[in-house]
Amino acid sequence: RRPEEVKRPFSSQKKSGSHFPVSLTVIALGEGTIARNTQPKLLNRLRQLVDKVPKEHRCSIELPKEGAVSLNMRLFVANSEDAKAAREYVFANAQQRPTPFVILSHALPIAVSYDARLLDVSDANVVDCLRKQAKTRAVKLIKETIANPAVGVTLDHLRGHEGSMSLAELLEGPLMEHAISFGGDKKYIAFAARKRQVISDSTLGKEQEDSFPGLESLASAAMHSQGGAA
């Protein structure tokens, strides 16, 4: 199994300010069942995706006209084997209704801003913690976007009755409205790392629960938007 790609961080104007980029494949679990003709190796991996949903990705979301509904999500680095397995299945079963896997974003571009004087991204524990923070913020942003009546998400979208791809197309524009440029062509949804959590986590080698006030750091991240993109 090939290791997941680690993208190089890129720096802002301030020498101490850097950004850790990660692209996330985000899926929701629909009401469909995995096709019987799925190859055994792929079938085994997909069953694990369904059975092992982290508790922080089991959500309740307010849908317009529907009220509170449950939403189980899986988030993976876009070039990971799990993300590839989900994409392989939905492309091979594009006509399935309902589908077991609903793509919310094929590759959501996140950039975690951090102080390079405090965090060493050559440390695997630091990288892991930054990725976990990226996933946590992605979940919050996607929930807020889905709940926005102007976006037009329905329960049929979430449950896979509209297919595996239609929701990603619906969400792409609203999600990328939050993105900013760091001087290159690509845009990222940026936020500041919670430094105390990352430092503590990288020391202890475990994730700690931490709350955060939404995407308030977009403005501060935009102040450092003159650096080159990776």
Side-chain angles (χ1 to χ4, degrees):
R1 175 177 174 177
R2 293 185 303 174
E4 296 175 2
E5 176 187 358
V6 177
K7 294 186 178 181
R8 292 181 302 165
F10 48 91
S11 300
S12 66
Q13 279 186 315
K14 294 184 178 182
K15 292 184 179 180
S16 60
S18 296
H19 310 279
F20 179 81
V22 57
S23 293
L24 298 175
T25 294
V26 187
I27 66 174
L29 301 184
E31 291 183 338
T33 56
I34 301 173
R36 293 181 180 180
N37 62 349
T38 304
Q39 294 183 354
K41 184 177 180 180
L42 177 60
L43 178 62
N44 181 61
R45 183 176 289 275
L46 293 175
R47 282 176 172 167
Q48 292 186 48
L49 301 192
V50 173
D51 294 339
K52 298 181 179 180
V53 180
K55 64 179 181 179
E56 60 270 22
H57 298 161
R58 297 178 184 269
C59 310
S60 178
I61 189 167
E62 289 287 335
L63 268 188
K65 301 180 181 179
E66 299 286 352
V69 299
S70 62
L71 176 63
N72 291 335
M73 285 188 279
R74 298 303 313 267
L75 294 87
F76 308 105
V77 175
N79 70 326
S80 69
E81 294 303 316
D82 286 329
K84 291 175 183 177
R87 289 196 298 269
E88 180 181 344
Y89 181 87
V90 298
F91 283 125
N93 298 274
Q95 303 305 315
Q96 185 177 2
R97 305 286 192 282
T99 178
F101 304 108
V102 180
I103 303 294
L104 305 183
S105 179
H106 293 279
L108 189 66
I110 303 287
V112 187
S113 303
Y114 67 95
D115 190 333
R117 297 170 301 182
L118 301 177
L119 300 177
D120 179 9
V121 293
S122 66
D123 184 328
N125 287 326
V126 170
V127 170
D128 184 54
C129 291
L130 291 175
R131 280 180 178 156
K132 287 176 180 177
Q133 288 193 22
K135 290 180 179 180
T136 299
R137 295 300 178 98
V139 167
K140 179 174 175 61
L141 177 59
I142 287 173
K143 286 177 59 180
E144 292 174 349
T145 303
I146 290 174
N148 184 348
V151 178
V153 177
T154 67
L155 187 59
D156 280 346
H157 282 119
L158 291 178
R159 298 298 187 243
H161 293 271
E162 298 292 338
S164 56
M165 304 290 190
S166 61
L167 191 48
E169 296 173 1
L170 192 62
L171 294 176
E172 181 177 10
L175 287 173
M176 291 307 292
E177 287 179 0
H178 297 273
I180 59 176
S181 172
F182 290 93
D185 294 333
K186 187 168 183 177
K187 291 185 176 181
Y188 296 87
I189 299 167
F191 66 90
R194 296 189 67 86
K195 292 182 286 292
R196 284 179 295 180
Q197 181 189 3
V198 176
I199 293 171
S200 177
D201 290 356
S202 63
T203 301
L204 299 176
K206 65 179 181 180
E207 183 180 13
Q208 296 179 355
E209 293 184 2
D210 195 11
S211 60
F212 55 88
L215 293 171
E216 79 293 340
S217 57
L218 280 172
S220 60
M223 295 173 60
H224 308 308
S225 61
Q226 302 300 316

